[in-house]
């Protein structure tokens, strides 16, 4: 963990309650490409299966302190953060103990805010924090949605991709209304694409349900992507020239560019309002007409 403080940090939860959609693969490789691009990045493994942890070459059984200890035992998060072999990429690792956290959190004080409290202490050191959630909509995922500002949904390019998504969207809405008003869906990442009529139909259907939210970059079904986790390496290390690597590099760039483009539009809008306000006040008109004038 670097000692240099950051002005702002994007906190993104990678969520889908359906397993086998490329969620952990996406979390690992987007985080890796962010760090490779010069962004200080923290990957939080909030899945008891520990796929994001082992996918970076760190074996859960060798870890003394994990996300569980920070959430349940209130261990200082700085003591849990693990420096990976990749410059700029840190990990808050998972362990099998996390599987019992759901039950232990039920009676906990401010149980939905445990992870937020941890990341509030860490985000000053990072440009990006990605949270790899478990394939369920339990208390751990609620913690991730409460702590994050954005949701990234990986969706497999198949007929049943949208099955259960209504429940996820309802959960996001409930969290936004009751726990985290700043939460928004930043994008839908299409994964495991094959050049078939079925995949193409699925892509069209997903884009219809998420207008303007689907990333242009589509992740193909790729054997190298499937092999990389067993070697404990992100795809840019394992097979940098494969289609999967190029796709995740492009998806990461799109994720970054979307944010900067949105920020520029916001800055432009704020600048426009400021100009209108200056022109209005220069006229010496009554303040009660200001709102109408600025529309």
């Amino acid at each position: 963990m670097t000692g240099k403080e950051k002005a702002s940090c994007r906190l993104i939860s990678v969520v889908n309650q359906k397993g086998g959609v490329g969620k952990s693969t996406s979390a690992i490789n987007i985080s890796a490409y962010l760090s490779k691009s010069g962004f200080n990045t923290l990957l939080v493994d909030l899945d008891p299966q520990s796929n994001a942890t082992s996918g970076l070459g760190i074996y859960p059984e060798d870890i003394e302190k994990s996300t569980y200890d920070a959430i349940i035992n209130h261990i200082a998060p700085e003591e849990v953060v693990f420096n990976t072999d990749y410059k700029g990429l840190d990990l808050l690792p998972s362990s099998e103990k996390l599987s019992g956290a759901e039950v232990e959190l039920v009676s906990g004080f401010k149980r939905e805010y445990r992870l937020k409290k941890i990341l509030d202490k860490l985000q000053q050191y990072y440009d990006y924090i990605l949270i790899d959630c478990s394939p369920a909509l339990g208390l751990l995922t609620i913690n991730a949605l409460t702590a994050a500002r954005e949701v990234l949904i990986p969706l497999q390019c198949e007929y049943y991709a949208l099955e259960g998504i209504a429940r996820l969207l309802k959960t996001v809405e409930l969290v936004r209304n009751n726990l985290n008003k700043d939460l928004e869906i930043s994008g839908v990442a299409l994964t495991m694409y094959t050049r078939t009529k079925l995949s193409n139909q699925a892509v069209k259907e997903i884009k219809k349900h998420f207008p303007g939210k689907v990333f242009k970059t589509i992740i193909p079904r790729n054997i190298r992507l499937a092999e990389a986790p067993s070697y404990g390496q992100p795809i840019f290390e394992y097979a940098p020239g494969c289609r999967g690597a190029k796709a995740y590099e492009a998806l990461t760039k799109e994720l970054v560019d979307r944010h900067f483009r949105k920020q520029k539009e916001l800055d432009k809008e704020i600048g426009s309002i400021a100009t209108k306000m200056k022109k209005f006040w220069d006229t010496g008109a009554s303040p009660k007409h200001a709102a109408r004038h600025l529309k």
Side-chain angles (χ1 to χ4, degrees):
M1 184 168 56
T2 177
K4 183 181 179 182
E5 293 190 3
K6 295 297 174 184
S8 62
C9 174
R10 288 181 71 183
L11 287 91
I12 305 172
S13 282
V14 185
V15 186
N16 192 325
Q17 78 270 30
K18 184 178 180 182
V21 299
K23 178 181 57 60
S24 293
T25 298
S26 297
I28 290 170
N29 289 299
I30 291 174
S31 297
Y33 273 112
L34 283 169
S35 65
K36 191 171 185 287
S37 300
F39 296 104
N40 284 334
T41 305
L42 175 67
L43 176 58
V44 180
D45 192 347
L46 206 63
D47 186 348
Q49 297 179 68
S50 307
N51 291 332
T53 299
S54 60
L56 286 174
I58 301 162
Y59 298 99
E61 57 268 24
D62 296 333
I63 295 171
E64 294 182 7
K65 298 173 184 176
S66 69
T67 311
Y68 171 88
D69 295 290
I71 292 175
I72 302 298
N73 296 329
H74 306 286
I75 298 295
E78 294 85 356
E79 296 181 27
V80 182
V81 171
F82 194 97
N83 301 120
T84 72
D85 292 334
Y86 306 98
K87 183 180 178 181
L89 178 58
D90 290 345
L91 174 72
L92 205 60
S94 176
S95 70
E96 61 180 14
K97 292 189 297 182
L98 198 60
S99 60
E102 293 274 357
V103 176
E104 294 179 68
L105 280 171
V106 169
S107 59
F109 178 68
K110 290 191 174 182
R111 58 188 185 181
E112 299 90 354
Y113 294 93
R114 292 289 184 90
L115 184 63
K116 175 176 169 53
K117 185 177 179 181
I118 292 167
L119 299 186
D120 281 348
K121 295 177 181 178
L122 294 176
Q123 63 176 297
Q124 61 182 319
Y125 303 112
Y126 298 98
D127 300 298
Y128 284 84
I129 295 178
L130 269 70
I131 308 168
D132 183 31
C133 299
S134 61
L137 294 178
L139 272 172
L140 287 175
T141 299
I142 296 298
N143 263 264
L145 294 175
T146 303
R149 298 191 187 98
E150 304 174 44
V151 178
L152 191 154
I153 305 173
L155 276 184
Q156 189 175 353
C157 297
E158 64 169 25
Y159 184 74
Y160 292 110
L162 293 167
E163 187 180 41
I165 289 298
R167 187 181 169 207
L168 170 58
L169 297 180
K170 182 65 176 177
T171 301
V172 171
E173 182 182 355
L174 286 171
V175 171
R176 184 191 295 123
N177 292 338
N178 297 283
L179 300 168
N180 182 6
K181 63 181 179 60
D182 297 322
L183 187 65
E184 64 174 334
I185 296 175
S186 61
V188 175
L190 299 176
T191 63
M192 301 182 179
Y193 173 81
T194 55
R195 296 178 183 275
T196 62
K197 185 178 180 180
L198 187 63
S199 278
N200 290 330
Q201 288 176 338
V203 170
K204 289 180 181 178
E205 193 68 19
I206 293 168
K207 286 183 176 179
K208 187 191 302 181
H209 280 79
F210 295 95
K213 291 291 185 180
V214 180
F215 289 103
K216 293 179 181 178
T217 303
I218 299 177
I219 308 300
R221 188 179 290 276
N222 182 255
I223 187 64
R224 297 301 185 194
L225 281 175
E227 291 173 346
S230 65
Y231 288 87
Q233 296 177 339
I235 194 61
F236 79 68
E237 180 78 9
Y238 178 70
C242 75
R243 290 189 304 127
K246 292 176 180 177
Y248 269 114
E249 184 175 21
L251 177 61
T252 304
K253 185 177 185 301
E254 194 176 347
L255 178 70
V256 174
D257 288 348
R258 268 194 185 190
H259 176 69
F260 284 127
R261 188 163 56 247
K262 182 178 178 181
Q263 192 61 49
K264 284 181 179 179
E265 290 173 358
L266 180 61
D267 291 343
K268 184 177 180 181
E269 181 181 347
I270 292 172
S272 176
I273 292 175
T275 301
K276 287 181 179 180
M277 288 180 67
K278 184 178 185 305
K279 288 180 178 178
F280 170 77
W281 294 118
D282 285 348
T283 66
S286 171
K288 69 180 180 179
H289 300 301
R292 185 175 60 194
H293 173 81
L294 294 175
K295 289 181 181 179

